[in-house]
Amino acid sequence: MEAIDLRHHLNTLSVSRCPSPLKDIMAYMAIDGMISFAGGLPHTSLFPFVDLEATVYSSNVDLHSTASRELIRLTIHKDNKNDGQAVDLATSLQYSSSAGLPWLLNYTHEFTRTVFRPAYKNFEVLLNEGNTDGLSKVVSLLCEAGDFILTEKQTYPTAQAVWIPMGCNSVPIEMDAEGMRSDALEDALRSWDSDHPGAKRPHVLYTVPTGQNPTGCTMSARRKQEVYAICVKYDIIIVEDDPYYFLQFDEYHFGKGKQNGYALAPYDESSFLSSLERTFLNFDTEGRVIRLDTFSKTLAPGNRIGWFTCNPVFTERLLRATEVVTQTPSGWSQAILSELLRSWGISGYMRWLSGLQREYAVRRNWMCDALGEAFDIKTGTSDEGLVVYGKGTKVRLFSFVPPRTGMFLWWKLYLEENQDFLAVKAEAGDEDPEAVFERKLWKELVDEKVLLTPGSYYIPWQGKDKTSIATSGREYGVIFFRIAFSLTTKEDMALGVQRMAQVLCRSWGLA
Amino acid sequence: MEAIDLRHHLNTLSVSRCPSPLKDIMAYMAIDGMISFAGGLPHTSLFPFVDLEATVYSSNVDLHSTASRELIRLTIHKDNKNDGQAVDLATSLQYSSSAGLPWLLNYTHEFTRTVFRPAYKNFEVLLNEGNTDGLSKVVSLLCEAGDFILTEKQTYPTAQAVWIPMGCNSVPIEMDAEGMRSDALEDALRSWDSDHPGAKRPHVLYTVPTGQNPTGCTMSARRKQEVYAICVKYDIIIVEDDPYYFLQFDEYHFGKGKQNGYALAPYDESSFLSSLERTFLNFDTEGRVIRLDTFSKTLAPGNRIGWFTCNPVFTERLLRATEVVTQTPSGWSQAILSELLRSWGISGYMRWLSGLQREYAVRRNWMCDALGEAFDIKTGTSDEGLVVYGKGTKVRLFSFVPPRTGMFLWWKLYLEENQDFLAVKAEAGDEDPEAVFERKLWKELVDEKVLLTPGSYYIPWQGKDKTSIATSGREYGVIFFRIAFSLTTKEDMALGVQRMAQVLCRSWGLA
């Protein structure tokens, strides 16, 4: 099955891009015996770099053990010495194809084919500088000023920060424990013309399907299939921004005893692969998904390397943009990742990812366990997840669904029993008291030296006249906080949770 | 003296950008004792990278000697061991400030202050991913669809490829041996409204002032001062794209014997500094210059690191764009350059640059000497430079000004005595025979395995209705080729020149 023709989704800018004639001429340089006076390239003998060595972990290190770890030494020479090197410095530090160095491009293609299994044959990959760069290029590929972009009910602010200044608005779609609701998506599209008379119909859906930022929610395969079918029906391009995809782990079983540890099953590649949720790409029979993958969360953000997977019409236009916008990802990053991944192989990288999963699962467990110590917790509905009460009280403070992926807990705080909020509400007048109270509580937490991210950061932007709770259709009497468990030690996590419990109890008048 | 307020030059997109709230919150993370659950950052212990070592040249190596070279070993640990390291991997591979790592940012600021000496106090620097990224961000900062951008008479195609798809047009300004002509610039602006009734006046001037691409021309200090004054008068922002700035060298003295070698004067920093042409920044009393510097031509293109120097209003808006467009340059690139430049110091980098100059001068001399062997050459007017004749004939083939900077020779070929061209002209009908002939001659060169860049690549884009010689105001009966001398060995250069001589003599009926 091949991608269908979706070029009518390209915006004016993107359609208008021409190949750089200089890039065009590069093909002639490769002709045997050609003497080239064409390229304005510095001579590689004039690079001051001779060679590079990096010490890295073996792919099967036990990150959780304090025992000494098996190390690998990567060596990258200036000139390829034919010892199996993926790259050499002379090539990777010279001007090169904007698509990426061939070895790394082939690796990401093969990895995508093996792990994500796109549903159509002629998908292509193209390197970028991580998902921030990737999304920026996708918006420049598809969106015009004034477009409406479908998003989850809470969405990633840096994504919105790309399209808001262009004059685009977000269209938030309700979520439940399985992710964006397909019935809500269908409703929004079916009633679009009557709800937005004269406005252009949305043709782009932006989603973080796995370990969503900020909610931590993971979209089920069933839901993806439903959403995909609706996008086919309404001719919508799905932008699958999936940086947390490989941080998938088991459910948190509350009340089954302390879970500070984590059972280490013997690693098995096929079990690892089958444990991963299916991606949109895996349902993408038409080539209407642009998937964004990155090494930022799995190797290190500073690599600034990710890749697009999409249909050839889109990769070709994205390549034209890359040539004049960023040219290529860093040669150092490409060279080091190439050698690391060559040394590990695709199987080794999967082995590494399975080890990472465990580490983030352990951190999720630390956080949930610490909350169990500091508060009283009961199991709620599937959408509520765990409901959290002031210790020794029946006062409901917040609820959260323990995430099966990613880095975040998403707290929904219930303000109906908070006298401080009711006082704010009495004074607030026209302003949303929820917004005022969120800022106040956040500041009280900061004053006790614990830093969370306010939920208001993630409110989809629907235009200047739709920022209040009433006009935007949000829920009254609740606020949200995002809590990242990725970065803190176990001790700091326990201490931070104690501080939060103290501030919350004080705010709710329980202390 | 401080920059004047130039924010009226910002375009709508740029004015509409908001700070990312997530970036905002990062400041709180630095508070002593703060436990942060705010950032979605991976834990640095989960990066598989342990340390890095790179072997580099000492800054004072003699690149021209085949003797063994003094090497330096750079080591970058995961965690800073307080041994004077500029950076560590844990920091440089983590998410970090979009402005760049502090050490490297300070270095580029200090380097800019020392070498370019901006004429106003409160200039700022901001890292980018090289001049391609830099220019793309500047166009996104200043230009609206339909803008007219002032350029040199021949201009860099990749620069135009940024603004053409936006619907912008270039306004070519005549050049002479001193660069863009100030009288022609003033004429174009003075008569703008009568020449372009109803069209918005240009407010951006794009220039490659040193070793211009493609002409190899370097703008004199006097000319820069005149151009700057006109830009003040007409309120124009100057984009000074200066990748070849440090590849300045002595004049080529034709006929003074073979110049294959190059006299090596003892290095002296103050002589080096005073030998460099003054930059636009150095005349910029108002902060209306955005200067683009890069390490691509001086260290290696694969670093993908350069920097903006401009007024604080512009750097702030460029930083907002960087946060959502590229985030930061590669951490590997930043770390390796930081350690290299820390080890060399600013003086060492200048020493390195002086060595590079000599190498490119030697290559320029090889090329000019080889031309002297293959053709008959006479000195022409200052705008013609050297006039080149078929060997042993009085048939004028082309002329060029031997460049004092950069990587390129720019040949102007005279077609009036070429029977082949006259035949093409007789057949061409409505088409420009020059364009047809250029392609034909270029193909004949390729067939003899010598690759040049056709001059037509560098024609400023003035819109679909102004592409012919007549409508665009170009000269009849001439074509241009760009010849890069940066990348070829001496032997290949001689061989390539022989091949060119053969093809040209055949084309002009001299062989």
Side-chain angles (χ1 to χ4, degrees), chain A residues 38 53 73 95 129 297, chain B residues 38 53 73 95 129 297 482:
Chain A
E53 292 185 273
R73 193 83 174 154
Y95 288 112
E129 304 187 14
K297 304 298 191 286
Chain B
E53 292 185 273
R73 192 83 174 154
Y95 288 112
E129 304 187 14
K297 304 297 192 284
R482 191 193 77 172

Side-chain angles (χ1 to χ4, degrees), chain A residues 32 37-38 41 48 50 53 55 57 73 93 95 129 132 297 302-303 327 330-333 449 451 482 484 486, chain B residues 32 37-38 41 48 50 53 55 57 73 93 95 129 132 297 302-303 327 330-333 449 451 482 484 486:
Chain A
D32 198 41
F37 300 133
L41 285 69
V50 178
E53 292 185 273
T55 308
Y57 292 154
R73 193 83 174 154
L93 296 181
Y95 288 112
E129 304 187 14
T132 300
K297 304 298 191 286
N303 292 304
Q327 206 160 101
S330 155
W332 293 111
S333 295
K449 298 210 167 168
L451 192 65
R482 191 193 77 172
S486 54
Chain B
D32 199 39
F37 301 132
L41 286 68
V50 178
E53 292 185 273
T55 308
Y57 292 153
R73 192 83 174 154
L93 296 182
Y95 288 112
E129 304 187 14
T132 300
K297 304 297 192 284
N303 293 302
Q327 206 160 102
S330 155
W332 293 110
S333 296
K449 298 209 168 169
L451 192 65
R482 191 193 77 172
S486 54

Side-chain angles (χ1 to χ4, degrees), chain A residues 45 55 84 106 112 184 190 227 245 248 278 292 299 331-332 343 362 372 382 418 455 481 500 506:
Chain A
S45 71
T55 308
N106 287 340
T112 299
R190 193 190 303 113
V227 167
Y245 181 74
Q248 298 182 37
R278 295 174 66 185
L292 302 177
L299 297 176
W332 293 111
S343 146
V362 165
S382 74
N418 187 307
F481 283 125
M500 294 195 289
R506 203 191 304 139

Side-chain angles (χ1 to χ4, degrees), chain B residues 42-81:
Chain B
H43 199 278
T44 55
S45 70
L46 306 180
F47 300 168
F49 306 104
V50 178
D51 64 36
L52 180 119
E53 292 185 273
T55 308
V56 300
Y57 292 153
S58 162
S59 65
N60 59 1
V61 290
D62 180 357
L63 286 164
H64 209 60
S65 145
T66 52
S68 76
R69 288 166 185 173
E70 194 189 329
L71 301 177
I72 299 173
R73 192 83 174 154
L74 309 176
T75 305
I76 308 176
H77 300 289
K78 185 152 194 176
D79 298 298
N80 200 318
K81 305 208 165 164

Side-chain angles (χ1 to χ4, degrees), chain B residues 52-219:
Chain B
L52 180 119
E53 292 185 273
T55 308
V56 300
Y57 292 153
S58 162
S59 65
N60 59 1
V61 290
D62 180 357
L63 286 164
H64 209 60
S65 145
T66 52
S68 76
R69 288 166 185 173
E70 194 189 329
L71 301 177
I72 299 173
R73 192 83 174 154
L74 309 176
T75 305
I76 308 176
H77 300 289
K78 185 152 194 176
D79 298 298
N80 200 318
K81 305 208 165 164
N82 275 326
D83 59 355
Q85 267 182 240
V87 288
D88 57 69
L89 293 184
T91 306
S92 56
L93 296 182
Q94 186 54 283
Y95 288 112
S96 60
S97 161
S98 288
L101 291 175
W103 193 93
L104 192 54
L105 198 62
N106 288 339
Y107 181 94
T108 52
H109 189 277
E110 185 60 16
F111 184 83
T112 299
R113 202 186 57 72
T114 309
V115 177
F116 306 128
R117 291 166 288 122
Y120 65 110
K121 264 188 191 167
N122 59 333
F123 71 90
E124 291 186 347
V125 299
L126 177 68
L127 296 194
N128 59 37
E129 304 187 14
N131 287 18
T132 300
D133 176 51
L135 180 67
S136 161
K137 285 175 178 159
V138 167
V139 170
S140 294
L141 181 82
L142 301 174
C143 299
E144 302 279 4
D147 272 6
F148 290 85
I149 295 161
L150 300 156
T151 68
E152 274 114 357
K153 194 190 177 176
Q154 324 273 356
T155 194
Y156 177 47
T158 306
Q160 292 201 115
V162 178
W163 64 68
I164 295 172
M166 288 175 59
C168 297
N169 287 317
S170 307
V171 182
I173 304 295
E174 285 291 331
M175 300 172 75
D176 62 18
E178 284 188 73
M180 180 185 281
R181 273 174 44 196
S182 44
D183 57 342
L185 176 64
E186 172 109 46
D187 283 350
L189 291 165
R190 193 189 305 112
S191 62
W192 182 264
D193 292 330
S194 54
D195 292 349
H196 303 78
K200 184 178 160 194
R201 305 176 64 82
H203 72 122
V204 174
L205 182 150
Y206 172 76
T207 176
V208 180
T210 325
Q212 200 245 358
N213 188 353
T215 65
C217 183
T218 294
M219 204 186 288

Side-chain angles (χ1 to χ4, degrees), chain B residues 378-452:
Chain B
K378 288 182 190 159
T379 303
T381 65
S382 74
D383 283 350
E384 284 172 337
L386 300 178
V387 184
V388 180
Y389 300 82
K391 188 124 186 147
T393 77
K394 302 212 159 165
V395 178
R396 186 174 68 153
L397 303 175
F398 64 93
S399 67
F400 70 100
V401 178
R404 289 188 300 114
T405 313
M407 301 182 165
F408 309 118
L409 261 55
W410 182 242
W411 288 4
K412 179 177 186 174
L413 291 89
Y414 304 97
L415 309 182
E416 71 267 24
E417 296 183 68
N418 187 307
Q419 294 302 323
D420 196 14
F421 169 70
L422 297 173
V424 167
K425 195 173 171 180
E427 278 180 32
D430 284 345
E431 237 182 327
D432 282 341
E434 286 80 0
V436 179
F437 182 76
E438 181 202 78
R439 184 77 200 169
K440 184 168 187 289
L441 184 55
W442 181 82
K443 189 64 176 51
E444 287 166 15
L445 288 158
V446 164
D447 290 343
E448 287 298 326
K449 298 209 168 169
V450 57
L451 192 65
L452 313 180

